[in-house]
């Protein structure tokens, strides 16, 4: 459990870092606002060395950084849930039950997707996630059978945010449970149904029933559908449910009589669907999502424990990143130079417009070729759909020499070092959001834990909330 007072103090003390997006780096001259000893330490080190410092316990990496930065690292580590993933089924059992492993447990996580048709369109990341979730569901079945007896046997799984159905299909096949798969995108539901039909016709696959699939926007009233679907008891599963979608699933779980267990992975913590107008995304009311402070957040906090602690949109956006893969993003092997061009463009947008609606706007993604793509080419492509009204203004004010420069020449070690420094906070902020959700469940009488189920280098949102209701 995380110390709320210590976390809030740390966030408040470093607001100037946390409230600045990378895209604002040049526009707000954020580097100048860092304390002098930090700038000296960062200037004398590469981004790769800072990443190694952030992720390592090796003392030799720390000697070049100031004591205050080492203290920050120590404080952040103390406020994080461990992201070191469970290595075997017996370790998983111990982690979420707190008990010695059952003799019947597998020694290793199984590879479920061996059939070629089953593997179709399943990437390695998804396969890794499915294998481990299947094992966890099997353990929950065993645990609940032992705890509550045959009258409360788990007979159903509710897969919320089911996508094209890979996970729900495997649960139906391997765990032999009735599955209700809920997905908000109707095209995904159709694709899932089509693949289900093909698998039913395959004599090599022992799939006798397929998940019941339907398209629906999830609200708290989903609890009624859960209770109607399950005969005895159900497990609710939500894999990478964005923003306050996770908050809604928590409330569905609490409200349902028959939902006995929950496996939930959050994602995209900055998104708030209850505040977003899907049919009119450019509506000015929706722009409140980009404000540094939201009047009310449907993502955080949910619990009494965290009441009074605010996390802005920018804070929660940081929580969507992970430190394990920072080297591939900021290291020498990274070929992405578009982010430097985007930050430089933002600087010029601030010069030509005072309107908040012109800042941090989503632009077209541009592939920048090393020593080939010029800044002018980048600007024209980036502003092709959104921000087109700014195009002529910025092209007039930017010096010709800068417009003709290659985007790859804009690479900045200070830009990278600041972004790494900012993202050092990511695990602690994500941990605070997860701790709030766990506390919310516990305050409602539910046993809940945080389990690092996935390898974070494969699936960065690797922390699962595993919860079950007492009999």
């Amino acid at each position: 459990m995380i110390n709320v007072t210590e976390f809030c103090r740390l966030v408040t003390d470093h607001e100037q870092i946390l409230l600045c997006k990378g895209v604002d780096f040049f526009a707000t001259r954020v580097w100048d606002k860092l304390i002098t000893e930090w700038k000296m330490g960062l200037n004398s080190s590469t981004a790769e060395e800072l990443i190694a410092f952030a992720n390592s316990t090796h003392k030799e990496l720390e000697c070049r950084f100031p004591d205050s930065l080492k203290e920050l690292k120590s404080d952040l580590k103390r406020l994080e849930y461990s992201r070191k993933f469970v290595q075997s089924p017996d370790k998983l059992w111990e982690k979420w039950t707190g008990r010695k492993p059952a003799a019947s447990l597998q020694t290793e996580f199984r590879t479920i997707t061996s059939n070629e048709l089953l593997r179709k369109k399943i990437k390695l990341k998804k396969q890794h996630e499915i294998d481990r979730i299947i094992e966890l569901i099997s353990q929950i079945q065993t645990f609940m059978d032992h705890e509550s007896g045959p009258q409360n046997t788990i007979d159903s799984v509710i897969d919320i945010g089911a996508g094209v159905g890979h996970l729900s299909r495997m649960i139906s096949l391997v765990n032999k449970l009735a599955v209700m798969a809920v997905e908000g995108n109707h095209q995904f539901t159709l694709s899932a149904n089509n693949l289900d039909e093909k698998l039913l016709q395959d004599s090599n696959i022992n799939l006798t029933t397929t998940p019941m699939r339907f398209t629906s926007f999830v609200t708290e009233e989903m609890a009624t559908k859960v209770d109607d679907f399950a005969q005895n008891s159900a497990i609710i599963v939500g894999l990478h449910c964005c923003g306050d979608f996770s908050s809604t699933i928590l409330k569905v779980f609490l409200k349902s009589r028959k939902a006995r267990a929950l496996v939930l992975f959050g994602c995209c913590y900055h998104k708030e669907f209850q505040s977003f107008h899907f049919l009119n995304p450019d509506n000015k009311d929706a722009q409140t999502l980009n404000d540094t402070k939201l009047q009310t957040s449907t993502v955080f906090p949910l619990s009494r424990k965290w009441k009074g602690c605010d996390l802005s949109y920018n804070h929660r956006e940081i929580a969507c990143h992970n430190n394990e893969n920072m080297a591939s993003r900021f290291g020498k092997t990274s070929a992405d130079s578009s982010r430097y061009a985007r930050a430089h463009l933002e600087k010029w947008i601030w010069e030509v417009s005072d309107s908040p609606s012109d800042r941090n706007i989503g632009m077209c993604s541009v592939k920048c070729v090393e020593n080939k793509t010029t800044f002018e080419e980048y600007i024209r492509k980036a502003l092709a759909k959104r921000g087109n009204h700014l195009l002529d203004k910025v092209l007039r004010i930017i010096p010709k020499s800068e417009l003709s420069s290659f985007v790859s020449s804009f690479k900045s070690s200070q830009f990278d070092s600041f972004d790494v420094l900012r993202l050092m906070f990511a695990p602690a902020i994500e941990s605070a959001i997860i701790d709030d959700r766990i506390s919310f469940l516990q305050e409602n009488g539910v046993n809940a834990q945080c389990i690092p189920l996935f390898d974070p280098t494969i699936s960065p949102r690797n922390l699962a909330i595993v919860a079950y209701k007492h009999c």
Side-chain angles (χ1 to χ4, degrees):
M1 303 297 282
I2 297 174
N3 185 302
V4 177
T5 302
E6 186 178 356
F7 175 86
C8 292
R9 176 193 60 78
L10 196 67
V11 168
T12 301
D13 288 349
H14 297 93
E15 290 264 282
Q16 64 179 17
I17 296 173
L18 297 174
L19 295 183
C20 177
K21 295 182 179 179
V23 72
D24 298 328
F25 180 81
F26 299 109
T28 61
R29 301 179 64 87
V30 66
W31 184 264
D32 297 339
K33 300 174 185 177
L34 295 178
I35 58 177
T36 302
E37 64 175 8
W38 282 21
K39 288 190 287 188
M40 292 175 61
L42 297 177
N43 274 330
S44 63
S45 306
T46 65
E48 291 92 337
E49 289 168 336
L50 180 58
I51 292 168
F53 162 74
N55 291 336
S56 175
T57 56
H58 297 307
K59 296 298 181 182
E60 61 268 20
L61 291 171
E62 300 195 357
C63 61
R64 68 189 64 195
F65 296 102
D67 289 342
S68 55
L69 197 54
K70 289 185 277 188
E71 183 180 348
L72 171 63
K73 172 187 170 181
S74 177
D75 289 343
L76 289 172
K77 292 296 181 185
R78 193 166 56 251
L79 294 169
E80 297 171 9
Y81 278 116
S82 172
R83 293 173 59 82
K84 185 176 181 181
F85 66 104
V86 289
Q87 299 284 341
S88 60
D90 60 339
K91 294 298 182 185
L92 172 60
W93 176 275
E94 289 181 13
K95 193 81 174 175
W96 78 270
T97 68
R99 302 179 184 180
K100 292 182 178 180
S104 59
L105 289 177
Q106 303 281 330
T107 56
E108 296 181 353
F109 288 102
R110 295 170 291 168
T111 300
I112 307 299
T113 50
S114 56
N115 181 281
E116 184 177 346
L117 188 56
L118 283 173
R119 291 174 63 94
K120 189 176 181 180
K121 296 184 179 180
I122 299 182
K123 296 180 180 179
L124 289 177
K125 173 178 178 290
K126 179 65 73 173
Q127 180 178 324
H128 175 78
E129 294 168 349
I130 289 173
D131 290 345
R132 285 169 170 259
I133 291 176
I134 290 288
E135 174 62 34
L136 178 56
I137 290 175
S138 298
Q139 291 190 9
I140 292 173
Q141 288 179 267
T142 301
F143 181 82
M144 287 300 182
D145 283 348
H146 182 268
E147 287 291 298
S148 33
Q151 72 277 11
N152 285 312
T153 297
I154 298 291
D155 57 54
S156 310
V157 167
I158 317 300
D159 181 12
I160 303 183
V164 295
H166 296 311
L167 175 60
S168 54
R169 193 174 297 112
M170 295 301 174
I171 294 171
S172 181
L173 178 65
V174 178
N175 297 92
K176 309 300 182 184
L177 295 169
V179 182
M180 180 171 75
V182 186
E183 171 53 46
N185 185 318
H186 187 57
Q187 291 303 314
F188 288 169
T189 303
L190 291 176
S191 297
N193 281 329
N194 288 338
L195 187 50
D196 287 344
E197 289 299 319
K198 291 179 182 178
L199 293 176
L200 278 174
Q201 298 167 15
D202 190 315
S203 59
N204 295 319
I205 300 176
N206 186 26
L207 184 64
T208 55
T209 60
T210 59
M212 178 185 292
R213 302 188 183 279
F214 66 96
T215 304
S216 176
F217 185 76
V218 177
T219 68
E220 292 180 45
E221 301 311 310
M222 181 64 66
T224 302
K225 289 185 179 294
V226 174
D227 292 341
D228 289 342
F229 182 76
Q231 183 174 350
N232 293 319
S233 299
I235 304 171
I236 292 179
V237 177
L239 176 57
H240 299 156
C241 299
C242 293
D244 56 2
F245 187 19
S246 286
S247 308
T248 302
I249 292 173
L250 290 172
K251 294 169 185 175
V252 170
F253 174 64
L254 291 175
K255 194 171 182 178
S256 167
R257 292 180 295 103
K258 293 184 179 179
R260 293 291 315 285
L262 171 72
V263 179
L264 178 64
F265 295 83
C267 188
C268 301
Y269 302 108
H270 55 307
K271 293 183 179 180
E272 302 205 46
F273 298 106
Q274 294 181 33
S275 304
F276 187 77
H277 198 304
F278 285 97
L279 300 179
N280 188 13
D282 291 324
N283 187 294
K284 295 304 178 184
D285 292 339
Q287 296 301 323
T288 56
L289 285 174
N290 292 320
D291 293 344
T292 45
K293 292 290 182 182
L294 289 168
Q295 294 299 314
T296 57
S297 172
T298 51
V299 176
F300 179 95
L302 300 175
S303 67
R304 293 190 297 273
K305 174 184 175 180
W306 286 89
K307 184 178 180 180
C309 179
D310 294 323
L311 288 177
S312 71
Y313 178 94
N314 283 3
H315 289 127
R316 290 182 277 114
E317 189 275 332
I318 291 172
C320 301
H321 299 273
N322 72 308
N323 289 354
E324 290 85 4
N325 293 334
M326 279 201 295
S328 62
R329 180 179 180 185
F330 299 107
K332 293 179 180 179
T333 57
S334 174
D336 180 22
S337 55
S338 64
R339 52 198 179 88
Y340 306 105
R342 178 65 186 88
H344 273 282
L345 175 54
E346 187 71 12
K347 175 187 68 176
W348 292 110
I349 289 174
W350 282 48
E351 289 287 329
V352 301
S353 174
D354 293 327
S355 173
S357 63
D358 287 335
R359 296 179 178 178
N360 291 303
I361 57 177
M363 297 181 183
C364 297
S365 177
V366 181
K367 183 178 180 180
C368 297
V369 181
E370 187 87 7
N371 296 325
K372 186 174 181 180
T373 307
T374 67
F375 190 33
E376 182 174 354
E377 289 171 337
Y378 169 83
I379 293 171
R380 290 186 181 278
K381 291 178 181 178
L383 293 175
K385 293 183 179 178
R386 292 197 66 194
N388 190 258
H389 63 289
L390 297 167
L391 181 59
D392 291 338
K393 293 179 181 178
V394 296
L395 289 179
R396 279 198 302 268
I397 194 174
I398 300 174
K400 297 295 183 183
S401 58
E402 186 168 335
L403 286 175
S404 61
S405 298
F406 293 130
V407 166
S408 51
S409 69
F410 290 169
K411 290 183 178 180
S412 165
S413 59
Q414 290 183 348
F415 180 94
D416 286 343
S417 292
F418 174 77
D419 235 7
V420 172
L421 178 64
R422 176 174 163 268
L423 296 184
M424 282 175 61
F425 289 82
I429 297 176
E430 181 180 31
S431 295
I433 295 171
I434 291 174
D435 190 75
D436 170 55
R437 293 171 178 178
I438 288 174
S439 298
F440 176 63
L441 291 170
Q442 291 175 341
E443 289 167 3
N444 282 276
V446 174
N447 185 301
Q449 330 241 355
C450 176
I451 308 297
L453 187 60
F454 305 147
D455 179 342
T457 63
I458 299 174
S459 182
R461 303 277 65 78
N462 75 319
L463 299 178
I465 294 175
V466 181
Y468 61 90
K469 296 173 183 175
H470 299 281
C471 296

